[in-house]
Amino acid sequence: MSEKHLTYADSGVDIKKEEKTVKTLIEKLSYVRKGIGAPLTGIGHYAGLLDFGEYALALTTDGVGSKVLIANEMQRWNTVGIDCIAMNVNDLLAIGAEPVAFVDYLALEKHEEGFAAQIGEGLVKGAEISRMSIVGGETATLPEIIKGFDLAGTCLGIVRKDQIVEGEKVRVGDVIVGVPSTGVHSNGYTLVRKIIEKSKYSYHDPCPYDSSKTIGDDLLTPTRIYIEILDVLKACEVHGLAHITGSGLLKLRRVTKLGFDFYDPLEPQEIFKFLQKEGGVEDLEMYRTFNMGMGFLVILPEKDAAKAAEITGGKIVGKIVESGIRVKDLVIE
């Protein structure tokens, strides 16, 4: 176990500096289209929405991040395509949109036999789960820029304008249903890798909590695609949705300025406990970096909470309050 309490910033990712960079970039994006295709929302929610008559088109873009470095170490690339699609699709679902089509971007240092087939295997699996088509993409060989590979993509979704979920209906007293993650998903891997690097373990070692798999195998568990959220939207009165990714529960500020009281959060998977112990990471830093077992949240009236929990395999984890973000006795914000 590390003697120092490791943080995401220590590993090279400073969330506050990242937010400042994003804000500076957004300030420069002043031009907007008029008429059909005009933006319906500002930049900063989970997806961008475009006017398309009675519908809105929704766009997201994201990548797998430094999780690909662990795939390289394990020489196993058949799951990162699922991650790439999941990170995009889940953001579409978080505003109520149904995924329709996807394009990928694969940047390579060099071409290796069998690599592309494994990437394709994951992409098609992710597309099947998401019930959408992959309609194209781009592959670039960039040996002077890329070391290994990078995988990203863009997803198109569609939603009726009267069914968009942006969070404006969230009210104090609403119930929060937490939906389990499959583990670390595709965020915080710069910190994950720093923890493993400083520990006595390697990615090829058996998990101390489950000797049937290696640490690398557990960390490559693909991101869950929460496509059943579409069923929740049909069956329940949903006020807000949240995909918990990088910066952990701080992502909730995209949904509402009201507060979140997680009085009964989902139990984090063993991989989180292992990483926290080995890195000496404090509780607050864990919840500000990782999903901690709750990869998606549904905010809705209490009358529909049981139905939403049944559809998603989740449970009631908290409620909406006036202000702040709290997990039991831990103040996140």
Side-chain angles (χ1 to χ4, degrees):
M1 174 179 166
S2 171
E3 293 181 2
K4 183 180 186 298
H5 293 298
L6 282 178
T7 67
Y8 208 9
D10 290 335
S11 67
V13 180
D14 190 317
I15 293 295
K16 292 183 179 179
K17 289 184 178 180
E18 187 175 278
E19 288 176 350
K20 185 177 180 180
T21 297
V22 171
K23 182 180 180 182
T24 302
L25 177 60
I26 290 173
E27 287 173 349
K28 295 296 181 181
L29 305 179
S30 58
Y31 176 79
V32 292
R33 178 185 171 92
K34 305 297 183 181
I36 196 75
L40 296 174
T41 57
I43 298 172
H45 213 293
Y46 281 103
L49 295 172
L50 307 177
D51 189 356
F52 204 67
E54 63 180 305
Y55 288 90
L57 298 181
L59 284 171
T60 59
T61 189
D62 207 343
V64 183
S66 63
K67 188 174 185 176
V68 301
L69 296 176
I70 298 177
N72 285 340
E73 174 66 27
M74 300 300 291
Q75 292 288 287
R76 181 161 69 81
W77 304 283
N78 64 337
T79 60
V80 292
I82 301 175
D83 289 304
C84 186
I85 286 181
M87 296 305 293
N88 283 279
V89 166
N90 289 341
D91 277 359
L92 285 182
L93 295 170
I95 52 93
E98 179 178 359
V100 174
F102 187 83
V103 292
D104 65 271
Y105 174 72
L106 177 62
L108 298 162
E109 179 183 7
K110 60 183 178 180
H111 295 268
E112 296 185 21
E113 189 70 28
F115 169 78
Q118 288 198 39
I119 294 293
E121 180 183 336
L123 287 171
V124 73
K125 180 64 175 177
E128 288 174 357
I129 296 170
S130 306
R131 305 197 291 267
M132 69 175 181
S133 305
I134 298 176
V135 296
E138 175 70 11
T139 300
T141 308
L142 304 168
E144 294 177 309
I145 299 174
I146 298 294
K147 300 304 176 186
F149 76 101
D150 187 29
L151 179 62
T154 297
C155 198
L156 172 68
I158 191 166
V159 58
R160 290 182 63 91
K161 285 180 180 175
D162 59 359
Q163 295 175 357
I164 295 170
V165 181
E166 291 188 83
E168 75 281 356
K169 294 181 180 178
V170 174
R171 298 289 182 267
V172 171
D174 279 350
V175 170
I176 308 167
V177 172
V179 190
S181 67
T182 50
V184 184
H185 282 182
S186 297
N187 301 100
Y189 276 81
T190 301
L191 178 54
V192 167
R193 291 184 298 104
K194 181 67 69 174
I195 290 171
I196 300 301
E197 177 186 309
K198 291 181 174 294
S199 76
K200 64 181 180 182
Y201 296 96
S202 79
Y203 297 115
H204 301 279
D205 289 333
C207 293
Y209 48 86
D210 185 353
S211 60
S212 69
K213 57 185 175 182
T214 66
I215 293 169
D217 288 335
D218 203 1
L219 289 170
L220 286 179
T221 301
T223 306
R224 178 174 171 178
I225 297 174
Y226 294 96
I227 198 66
E228 61 271 38
I229 292 299
L230 295 176
D231 298 323
V232 175
L233 290 166
K234 292 175 183 177
C236 305
E237 179 189 338
V238 176
H239 289 175
L241 297 163
H243 178 206
I244 307 303
T245 57
S247 71
L249 293 180
L250 295 178
K251 270 288 188 295
L252 296 174
R253 284 291 162 251
R254 288 186 174 187
V255 179
T256 179
K257 298 298 183 184
L258 292 173
F260 296 76
D261 179 11
F262 294 97
Y263 54 78
D264 188 22
L266 294 175
E267 182 73 13
Q269 288 90 347
E270 290 297 326
I271 185 66
F272 293 112
K273 299 173 185 178
F274 166 73
L275 292 169
Q276 182 171 18
K277 178 182 177 183
E278 290 303 314
V281 185
E282 295 181 337
D283 289 344
L284 182 60
E285 188 71 12
M286 292 295 290
Y287 278 99
R288 285 183 169 178
T289 305
F290 302 111
N291 67 67
M292 295 300 283
M294 296 189 296
F296 209 96
L297 301 175
V298 184
I299 305 165
L300 69 180
E302 187 173 4
K303 65 181 178 63
D304 285 338
K307 174 61 72 174
E310 178 185 355
I311 293 172
T312 60
K315 74 166 190 175
I316 296 173
V317 295
K319 62 183 178 181
I320 299 297
V321 294
E322 289 288 351
S323 63
I325 302 174
R326 180 185 296 271
V327 180
K328 293 186 175 178
D329 295 327
L330 183 67
V331 178
I332 308 298
E333 184 188 71

